[in-house]
């Protein structure tokens, strides 16, 4: 068993604009089962952050409990991180964000962590439009505790012993849109080409960006009869490819068929969606919900950027909080003196 | 970015006309090429195999693996030209290759008794007689391969002992006679009939002795001279380098003047100047026509010379031997610039500066070496072609007279020991085939095995960890000690500890990554874990486009792409760039289905008489 990755790199390994190679964004060697979809998502996060690019020390990785929630140990080894309690990542991130709004928050959660124990917390983070990227690594089971059906398991999907799940699943993307999330996407760990630009777009979005990523559990949920396996997902996926074009770059890719829609982000970067045909309006929640439901009914998994609201105010704007991280405030700002105190008191009379 | 494809798109295809064909890994040459060092070695010594044996402190086994392949591990561990090292993969991921050559010496220095493991001359001979002319490494290799098969071998040489130029030319401070005696001894002990101190002056008379086959391994014994003004007048102090070196070896010459000029930029020049320093030369200069980087001498030979306070003057073209009162006083040179024309051809153009004069008491000319076959009569059916060289088949080493074979420096001009050995093996195969009445063209296939190294879920039977250690330096004796005595061996060799540490640097390039597409579920785990970004899953394409679209562009065209089709979910292809794979096994550790496996590839050049016995490895 290898515990340490060799330090050698490809001599022609790319270096990003900040001078880092991909390997500078890696974490320690994963201890997840070999072939786990979660590891693929970690690699996609690395790829997204490497190519955006972001500086490692500007990022905070937040998580709860589960195999998925363990993964922040396996990417961005030079970033900040907090591994919290089961289902409590949203509240811890809310606190962290209030204390330091300058960091880029990447929350990693599981379908158990989000759709069961953390369901309430999840709803409130969405409602507050917390400025973060929230990724659910959705394998339809509790991987860490040996594969029990989770709340996102499809009805009829068989567990490893062959028993069919009796309950209807919670569809997290529909739920997020209904709760007022301002950026909602779905993808598949095995579709790096779509996932990486989607993560980049989510990281660029101001407000709550939610990504539901189907992520097969090779050990407990990758068998015949499972609806979250590699093979099943690849068969049923309905992917809308997209590009993320950072502000500074020219647009290079070209897709032949279908319509291309461009979505301009706050910082000037552009998301280009390549639709097979003119489906629905991703800036209209109702239209998005309909499209998702329509595909669900047909047994297809609609992936890509599903919904975006570019105008909503994120939590700090709503609360009118101080613009700088709390740790940068000095005595001067924190104890503004009698005059200010008097005026506050006067206001309360 | 990795070109992932979401799902099989209708009408999307992978089988365009010029897309890369899946790799045929059952072709032994495919994986052989991945073992860079072994592939580059003229006799294809299984380098990583013996390095692992050294790491396991199995020195005797390591020695025998070498001996099987290159016949002179102790000699080559000190003197080999080491074409393996520039090829070593390690040099592509860090600064320096594994010290492959000096590890060979570690095996030789630390081995136990090997006599019992050496082949014996069979009690009964097969009735066939073979004459070998010259007792250098080429002939000795033929003797080693043929004697155990029952051939009666007559070995002729004009020197008193076996070894050829290894004995007469390579100075004792690089190669102690005891090592030569030991390793030539293992061969002479096979019941070889020695005819030493015997100069062969007529091929006709050899053929008249009714040998069934004759092998010519007489080397390239003639040193080039330099016909410039003053050459005859100052002749008493001007020597042809290789003749001078053998005179030193045979102790006819013991001293040299205080100021010495050595002309030439090859390894012979390096040996001349370093020998001169030991015979009394205090002010020894090497003067070369070409630039420093273009000198023929190996980098380490140049370093060793410079470390003995021998300056190298480049871009100096000799003009004249300057003499006064019938005695050499020095030489003048024209300083030149190196100019390349638009075809990349090089010429030396005088700078126009006045000639440079260097004082000298003696001059050694080491500017080249030629073949000479005055003793082979031209009417025997042995055809001679360009430059009066015999016409030899490059694969079989047969001359135009079927029973006469050539090898080593005698066949295609001066090269080095390991080439002479490799050619000796091939000539021995030919002679054996010829004398068994078979076609010499029917070369035996190499012996190849491919064996999984898997021992447990994440356990391998080779040490797959990659160490960061930089190349270890071989210690030398102090310069003051070395320069005082010609016989003191300069290099001390790695001690066992440094040898172990250096052995750990080997990347085990013979432990191959073997891919089974049918097992792959396309989870990307291998792609993500690979430290050097070798593995890709993408649409097939024409080779240049494919090379450009990998995670890390595959720009080293000397290294192959491993292409596999048959992926069931997306019908992409797996493309692995072999260039900087560390053979770390992480891909195979990460693969949930065992689609990757680490398998040891053993490639053994078949020797004379081995073709029908399957390899036991
Ligand atoms: C100064 C110098 C240093 C070198 N250093 C190295 C080194 O460090 N590493 C390396 O790999 N290579 C080195 N070489 C090259 C290497 O020595 C030769 O390439 C190699 O020895 C060739 O082997 P061979 O068997 O073809 O012939 P040789 O080794 O040349 O042996 C030929 C033998 O045949 C004998 N012979 C010739 N004609 C007759 C005849 N008519 N009758 C009887 N006997 C005859 C010769 O005396 C000689 O003993 C060096 C060469 C020189 C000149
Ligand atoms: C408060 C609490 N309740 C229960 C558990 C047990 N537990 C650990 S992980 C887990 C489920 C994780 O499932 P998911 O979030 O889908 O992660 P996965 O392992 O599938 O990636 C549970 C129930 C716990 N650690 N803490
Ligand atoms: S690393 Fe080892 S096996 Fe690979 S080329 Fe170098 S010496 Fe040979
Ligand atoms: S052995 Fe596998 S993981 Fe290691 S460098 Fe080679 S391809 Fe990459
Ligand atoms: S780890 Fe194994 S199953 Fe996964 S993509 Fe690589 S070869 Fe295929
Ligand atoms: Mg889960």
């Amino acid at each position: 068993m290898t515990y340490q990755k060799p330090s050698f790199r490809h001599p022609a390994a790319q270096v990003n604009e900040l001078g880092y190679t991909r390997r500078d964004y890696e974490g320690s060697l994963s201890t997840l089962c070999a072939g786990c979809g979660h590891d693929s998502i970690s690699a996609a996060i690395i790829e997204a952050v490497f190519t955006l690019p972001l500086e490692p020390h500007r990022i905070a990785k937040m998580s709860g409990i589960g195999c998925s929630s363990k993964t922040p140990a396996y990417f961005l080894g030079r970033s900040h991180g907090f591994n919290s309690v089961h289902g409590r990542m949203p509240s811890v991130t809310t606190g962290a964000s209030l204390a330091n709004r300058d960091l880029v928050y990447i929350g990693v959660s599981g379908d158990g962590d989000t759709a069961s124990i953390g369901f309430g917390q999840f709803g409130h983070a969405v409602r507050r439009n917390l400025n973060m990227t929230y990724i659910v690594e959705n394998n339809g089971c509790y991987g860490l505790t040996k594969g029990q059906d989770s709340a996102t398991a499809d009805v009829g999907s068989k567990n490893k012993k062959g028993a069919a799940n009796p309950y209807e699943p919670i569809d997290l993307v529909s739920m997020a849109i209904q709760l007022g999330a301002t950026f909602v996407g779905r993808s598949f760990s095995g579709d790096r080409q779509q996932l990486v630009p989607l993560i980049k777009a989510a990281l660029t979005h101001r407000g709550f960006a939610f990504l539901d990523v189907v992520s097969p559990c090779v050990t407990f949920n990758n068998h015949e009869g499972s609806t979250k396996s590699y093979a099943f997902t690849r068969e049923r996926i309905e992917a809308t490819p997209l590009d993320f074009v950072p502000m500074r770059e020219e647009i290079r890719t070209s897709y032949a068929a279908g319509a291309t829609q461009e979505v301009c982000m706050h910082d000037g970067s552009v998301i280009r969606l390549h639709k097979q045909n003119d489906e629905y309006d991703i800036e209209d929640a109702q239209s998005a919900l309909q499209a998702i439901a329509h595909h669900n009914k047909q047994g297809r998994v609609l992936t890509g950027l599903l919904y975006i609201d570019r105008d909503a105010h994120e939590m700090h704007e709503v609360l009118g909080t101080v613009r700088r991280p709390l740790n940068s405030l000095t005595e001067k700002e924190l104890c503004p003196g009698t005059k200010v105190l008097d005026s506050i008191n006067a206001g309360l009379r | 970015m990795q070109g992932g494809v979401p799902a099989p798109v209708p009408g999307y295809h992978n089988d365009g006309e010029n897309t890369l064909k899946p790799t045929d890994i059952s072709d032994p040459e495919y994986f052989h090429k991945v073992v860079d060092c072994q592939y580059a070695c003229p006799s294809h010594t299984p380098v990583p195999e013996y390095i692992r044996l050294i790491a396991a402190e199995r020195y005797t086994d390591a020695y025998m693996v070498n001996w099987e392949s290159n016949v002179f591990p102790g000699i080559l561990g000190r003197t080999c030209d080491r074409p393996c090292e520039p090829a070593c993969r390690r040099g592509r991921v860090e600064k320096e290759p594994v010290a492959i050559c000096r590890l060979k010496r570690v095996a030789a220095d630390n081995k136990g008794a090997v006599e019992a493991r050496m082949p014996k001359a069979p009690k009964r001979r097969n009735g066939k007689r073979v004459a070998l002319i010259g007792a250098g490494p080429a002939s000795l290799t033929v003797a080693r391969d043929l004697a155990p098969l029952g051939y009666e071998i007559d070995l002729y040489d004009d020197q008193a002992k076996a070894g050829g130029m290894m004995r007469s030319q390579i100075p004792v401070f690089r190669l102690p006679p005891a090592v030569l005696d030991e390793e030539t001894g293992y061969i002479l002990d096979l019941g070889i009939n020695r005819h030493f101190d015997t100069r062969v002056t007529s091929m006709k008379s050899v053929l008249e002795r009714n040998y069934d086959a004759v092998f010519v391994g007489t080397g390239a014994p003639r040193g080039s001279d330099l016909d410039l003004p003053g050459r005859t007048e100052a002749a008493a102090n001007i020597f042809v380098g290789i003749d001078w070196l053998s005179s030193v070896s045979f102790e006819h010459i013991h001293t040299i003047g205080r100021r010495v000029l050595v002309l030439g930029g090859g390894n012979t020049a390096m040996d001349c100047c370093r020998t001169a320093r030991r015979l009394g030369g205090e002010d020894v200069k090497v003067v070369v026509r070409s630039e420093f980087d273009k000198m023929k001498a190996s980098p380490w030979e140049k370093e060793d010379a410079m470390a003995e306070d021998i300056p190298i003057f480049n871009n100096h073209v000799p003009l004249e031997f300057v003499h006064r009162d019938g005695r050499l006083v020095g030489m003048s040179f024209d300083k030149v610039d190196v100019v390349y024309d638009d075809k990349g051809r090089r010429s030396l153009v005088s700078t126009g500066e006045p000639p440079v004069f260097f004082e000298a008491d003696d001059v050694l000319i080491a500017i080249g070496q030629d073949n000479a076959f005055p003793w082979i009569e031209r009417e025997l059916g042995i055809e001679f072609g360009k430059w009066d060289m015999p016409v030899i088949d490059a694969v079989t080493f047969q001359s135009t007279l079927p029973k006469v074979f050539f090898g080593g420096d005698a066949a295609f001009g001066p090269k080095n020991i390991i080439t002479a050995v490799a050619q000796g093996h091939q000539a021995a195969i030919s002679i054996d085939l010829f004398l068994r009445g078979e076609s010499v063209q029917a070369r035996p296939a190499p012996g190849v095995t491919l064996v999984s190294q898997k021992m447990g879920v994440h356990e391998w039977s080779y040490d797959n960890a990659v160490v960061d250690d930089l190349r270890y330096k071989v210690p030398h004796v102090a310069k003051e000690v070395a320069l005082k005595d010609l016989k003191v061996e300069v290099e001390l060799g790695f001690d066992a500890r440094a040898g172990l540490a250096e052995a750990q640097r080997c990347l085990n390039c013979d432990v191959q990554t073997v891919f089974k597409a049918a097992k792959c579920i396309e989870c990307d785990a291998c792609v993500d874990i690979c430290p050097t970004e070798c593995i890709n899953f993408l649409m097939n394409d024409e080779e240049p486009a494919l090379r450009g679209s990998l995670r890390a562009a595959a720009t080293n065209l000397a290294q192959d792409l491993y292409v596999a089709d048959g992926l069931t979910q997306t019908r992409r292809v797996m493309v692995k760039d072999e260039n900087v794979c560390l053979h770390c096994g992480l891909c195979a550790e990460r693969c949930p289905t065992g689609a990757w496996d680490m398998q040891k590839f053993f490639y053994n050049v078949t020797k004379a008489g081995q073709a029908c016995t399957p390899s036991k490895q």
Side-chain angles (χ1 to χ4, degrees):
Chain A
M1 171 86 184
T2 304
Y3 298 98
Q4 211 169 9
K5 200 159 164 173
S7 61
F8 293 132
R9 296 164 191 203
H10 195 289
Q14 290 171 38
V15 174
N16 69 14
E17 289 149 50
L18 301 172
Y20 297 103
T21 66
R22 269 191 195 82
R23 296 207 51 192
D24 295 323
Y25 291 91
E26 287 178 353
S28 50
L29 268 195
S30 170
T31 60
L32 301 186
C33 304
C36 178
H38 298 353
D39 281 335
S40 252
I41 300 174
S42 299
I45 294 173
I46 290 170
E47 183 70 26
V49 176
F50 166 75
T51 47
L52 256 178
L54 290 178
E55 286 159 314
H57 63 266
R58 280 201 51 227
I59 302 169
K61 310 166 288 180
M62 312 299 289
S63 67
I65 296 292
C67 296
S68 35
S69 295
K70 279 173 73 177
T71 62
Y74 315 135
F75 61 83
L76 300 181
R78 302 181 182 189
S79 299
H80 309 278
F82 197 104
N83 185 205
S84 74
V85 196
H86 202 14
R88 270 57 185 160
M89 178 268 278
S91 54
V92 176
T93 310
T94 309
S97 174
L98 282 169
N100 187 341
R101 61 188 291 175
D102 277 2
L103 293 179
V104 175
Y105 291 94
I106 303 178
V108 175
S109 178
D111 41 325
D113 197 60
T114 290
S116 293
I117 193 167
F119 206 39
Q121 295 234 338
F122 169 65
H124 291 283
V126 177
R127 182 175 149 264
R128 288 179 179 137
N129 201 18
L130 181 57
N131 188 16
M132 73 177 296
T133 296
Y134 189 118
I135 300 175
V136 171
E137 305 189 342
N138 189 347
N139 53 15
C141 71
Y142 297 170
L144 192 69
T145 53
K146 306 239 178 298
Q148 299 84 351
D149 289 332
S150 78
T152 64
D154 292 305
V155 61
S157 178
K158 290 195 175 128
N159 70 13
K160 212 176 179 182
K161 292 229 168 96
N165 171 42
Y167 298 114
E168 283 293 334
I170 290 174
D171 183 40
L172 285 171
V173 283
S174 305
M175 185 60 65
I177 295 172
Q178 278 163 5
L179 289 168
T182 52
F183 181 111
V184 178
R186 181 154 57 193
S187 192
F188 168 44
S189 66
D191 184 0
R192 196 71 60 84
Q193 199 170 47
Q194 183 198 57
L195 181 54
V196 171
L198 200 53
I199 295 173
K200 287 170 121 176
L203 289 168
T204 314
H205 175 70
R206 200 168 70 200
F208 192 83
F210 178 69
L211 295 179
D212 176 18
V213 186
V214 179
S215 175
C217 169
V218 272
T219 304
F220 298 111
N221 209 5
N222 192 41
H223 44 265
E224 189 87 11
S226 153
T227 62
K228 292 272 192 289
S229 68
Y230 281 105
F232 187 94
T233 310
R234 281 205 170 95
E235 236 164 68
R236 304 302 170 99
I237 206 158
E238 197 71 59
T240 307
L242 77 158
D243 292 325
F244 178 81
V245 188
M247 194 176 47
R248 310 165 294 285
E249 267 173 40
E250 60 174 320
I251 295 168
R252 273 172 306 193
T253 33
S254 62
Y255 284 75
T260 297
Q261 184 187 347
E262 295 194 348
V263 183
C264 201
M265 307 291 281
H266 273 117
D267 68 350
S269 47
V270 175
I271 304 170
R272 299 177 80 224
L273 306 171
H274 309 284
K275 299 181 172 175
Q276 305 291 336
N277 43 51
D278 241 336
E279 288 146 18
Y280 64 92
D281 180 2
I282 62 158
E283 302 204 52
D284 174 357
Q286 277 315 313
S287 163
L289 286 168
Q290 260 167 29
I292 295 164
H294 175 70
H295 282 88
N296 282 356
K297 206 176 273 169
Q298 293 187 320
R300 311 286 301 169
V301 187
L302 183 65
T303 65
L305 176 58
L306 304 175
Y307 173 69
I308 187 167
D309 172 1
R310 286 173 294 164
D311 302 324
H313 295 294
E314 57 105 352
M315 183 182 71
H316 283 278
E317 292 167 313
V318 173
L319 295 179
T321 54
V322 56
R323 286 191 183 283
R324 282 160 44 202
L326 302 189
N327 64 9
S328 70
L329 301 182
T330 60
E331 197 179 340
K332 204 168 128 231
E333 289 99 6
L334 293 171
C335 307
T338 333
K339 234 167 135 186
V340 179
L341 186 63
D342 288 347
S343 77
I344 291 174
N345 283 339
L348 294 174
R349 277 199 189 100
Chain B
M1 196 189 84
Q2 171 72 2
V5 172
V9 177
Y12 112 81
H13 60 92
N14 228 346
D15 39 15
E17 247 174 53
N18 299 315
T19 55
L20 264 184
K21 296 278 168 295
T23 305
D24 177 13
I25 58 167
S26 67
D27 174 356
E29 292 310 310
Y30 181 74
F31 282 144
H32 185 204
K33 198 171 161 196
V34 175
V35 196
D36 301 280
C37 48
Q38 184 178 14
Y39 191 70
C41 173
S43 64
H44 304 308
T45 298
V47 173
E49 179 75 7
Y50 83 68
I51 293 185
R52 273 191 303 275
L53 290 168
I54 291 171
E57 299 181 73
R58 288 170 57 188
Y59 301 112
T60 312
D61 292 333
Y63 183 85
M64 291 310 294
V65 166
N66 268 291
W67 190 82
E68 268 297 318
S69 169
N70 56 46
V71 193
F72 303 106
I75 294 171
L76 287 166
R78 293 167 163 85
T79 61
C80 188
D81 258 359
R82 24 173 153 153
C84 53
E85 291 191 16
C88 172
R89 178 170 301 258
R90 185 110 189 166
R92 299 198 294 272
V93 290
E94 61 132 310
K95 277 206 229 83
E96 288 200 84
V98 175
I100 301 170
C101 179
R102 278 6 182 203
L103 283 173
K104 217 186 290 298
R105 176 173 170 186
V106 171
D109 286 356
N110 294 287
K111 69 179 185 300
V114 292
E115 287 74 7
R117 299 170 71 161
M118 294 291 172
K120 312 273 172 303
K123 299 231 164 55
R124 282 239 228 115
R125 295 267 163 83
N126 66 11
K128 300 263 168 39
R129 293 165 59 242
V130 181
L132 312 180
I133 323 285
S139 289
L140 290 169
T141 302
V142 176
R144 191 206 74 172
D145 287 358
L146 293 184
L149 302 180
Y151 292 96
E152 181 167 352
I153 308 287
D154 280 1
L155 178 63
Y156 295 88
D157 197 287
D158 56 4
Q159 299 185 30
K161 284 178 149 190
M165 285 203 169
M166 304 191 294
R167 194 179 291 277
S168 58
Q169 301 297 317
I170 300 181
V172 290
F173 58 84
R174 285 209 288 129
L175 178 58
V179 178
L180 255 173
D181 291 344
E182 177 193 333
E183 292 190 332
T184 54
Y186 294 138
I187 298 162
L188 299 176
D189 287 349
L190 295 170
I192 311 292
N193 305 323
R194 307 163 200 195
H195 305 274
F196 291 164
D197 288 320
T198 307
R199 177 160 206 92
V200 175
T201 52
S202 159
M203 180 61 116
K204 190 155 173 272
S205 69
V206 175
L207 293 173
E208 279 162 3
R209 269 167 259 163
N210 285 324
Y211 286 108
D212 296 289
V214 177
F215 175 80
V216 180
T218 48
R222 185 175 288 170
S224 309
D225 206 333
L226 189 60
D227 191 16
L228 287 178
R231 174 70 180 91
T232 30
E233 294 84 339
N237 295 94
I238 301 170
F239 304 89
V240 170
I242 68 167
D243 298 338
W244 182 79
L245 282 171
S246 51
S247 299
V248 174
S249 290
F250 300 133
E251 306 193 339
H252 304 315
I253 288 181
H254 300 275
T255 57
I256 196 162
R258 194 176 63 78
R259 297 165 306 176
V260 181
L261 291 179
V262 177
L263 309 181
N267 286 338
T268 303
M270 298 304 117
D271 281 340
C272 284
C273 66
R274 295 179 68 196
T275 303
R277 282 287 277 137
R278 286 158 172 80
L279 298 191
E282 284 166 23
D283 170 9
V284 180
K285 296 185 178 78
V286 173
V287 192
V288 196
R289 294 161 57 101
S290 67
E291 308 118 283
F292 188 79
D293 292 340
K294 291 275 154 58
M295 286 169 64
K296 289 221 177 82
S298 322
W300 54 89
E301 302 274 338
K302 294 192 272 188
E303 271 167 37
D304 288 347
M306 292 185 297
E308 293 178 354
D309 310 321
I310 301 165
I312 298 175
F313 293 86
N314 294 92
N315 300 347
H316 281 65
V317 175
L319 289 175
E320 188 182 357
F321 296 97
V322 183
H323 52 93
R324 204 173 299 130
D325 310 326
R327 214 188 140 73
L328 179 85
V329 291
M331 277 192 81
S332 60
F333 298 87
D334 187 22
K335 266 186 85 177
V336 292
D337 285 326
V338 182
V339 182
Y340 291 89
D341 67 10
D342 31 315
K343 291 212 176 73
R345 278 174 310 207
R346 192 178 67 127
S347 55
L348 303 175
V349 179
S350 175
T351 58
E353 292 169 40
V356 178
F357 177 76
F358 291 129
E359 295 183 334
D361 302 315
D362 287 298
V363 173
L364 302 175
I365 303 171
I367 56 171
Q369 219 181 312
D370 290 315
N371 292 79
F373 300 98
W375 56 279
I376 300 183
E377 296 83 350
R378 299 301 142 112
E379 71 282 356
L380 300 172
I382 303 171
E383 203 181 304
F384 280 72
K386 254 208 226 154
W387 299 305
D388 211 24
M389 286 291 282
V391 176
I392 309 295
D393 184 297
V395 175
T396 65
F397 294 91
Q398 194 172 36
S399 74
T400 53
L401 183 61
K403 65 153 69 168
V404 177
F405 299 80
F406 283 68
D409 287 357
F412 296 106
K415 302 255 162 35
N416 50 38
I417 302 169
I418 190 66
T419 304
V421 169
Q423 296 182 352
H425 283 313
Q426 292 306 316
I429 290 172
S430 301
I431 294 170
D432 182 46
L433 288 171
F434 176 71
L435 295 185
R436 286 194 284 120
E438 290 170 31
S439 163
V440 291
Q441 300 295 341
R443 313 305 291 179
V448 178
T449 56
L450 190 62
V451 179
S452 176
Q453 300 296 287
K454 204 174 175 77
M455 300 224 300
V457 183
H458 289 147
E459 297 299 329
W460 305 105
S461 53
Y462 74 109
D463 188 355
N464 64 321
V466 175
V467 300
D468 287 344
D469 299 24
L470 298 177
R471 184 179 170 116
Y472 289 84
K473 290 226 169 348
V474 177
H476 285 199
V477 292
K479 188 167 68 186
E480 308 76 58
V481 180
L483 291 182
K484 251 189 228 131
D485 184 352
L486 182 70
K487 294 195 169 130
V488 169
E489 187 176 12
V490 173
E491 285 194 15
L492 296 168
F494 287 131
D495 60 19
R497 232 171 108 179
L500 285 184
E502 182 63 32
Q504 291 295 342
R505 294 180 70 239
C506 172
L507 296 170
N508 302 291
C509 301
D510 59 340
V511 182
Q512 305 287 350
T513 55
V514 179
F515 181 72
K516 287 227 162 38
K519 287 186 168 181
C520 174
I521 58 170
E522 300 176 58
C523 67
D524 281 343
C526 53
V527 176
D528 296 335
I529 197 71
C530 177
T532 42
E533 301 177 44
C534 305
I535 304 173
N536 305 263
F537 289 94
L538 73 180
M539 296 292 295
N540 204 345
D541 207 337
E542 294 174 19
E543 179 160 358
L546 205 55
R547 282 182 173 270
S549 55
L550 303 186
R551 277 167 75 86
T555 50
N556 184 351
L557 300 182
Q559 293 281 322
D560 288 338
L561 299 181
Y562 179 0
V563 180
D565 64 359
L567 293 169
T568 53
Q569 297 191 13
T570 64
R571 289 184 281 138
R572 293 175 294 180
V573 283
M574 187 291 297
V575 180
K576 183 195 162 205
D577 180 7
E578 298 283 11
N579 185 23
V580 289
C581 170
L582 305 172
H583 299 262
C584 66
L586 278 173
C587 48
E589 283 188 20
R590 263 316 140 96
C591 180
T593 62
W596 285 110
D597 191 25
M598 304 306 293
Q599 302 189 357
K600 186 168 97 179
F601 174 74
F602 189 80
Y603 181 103
N604 191 27
V605 177
T606 304
K607 311 282 167 3
Q610 285 180 350
C612 32
T613 35
S615 158
K616 271 174 273 157
Q617 289 290 337

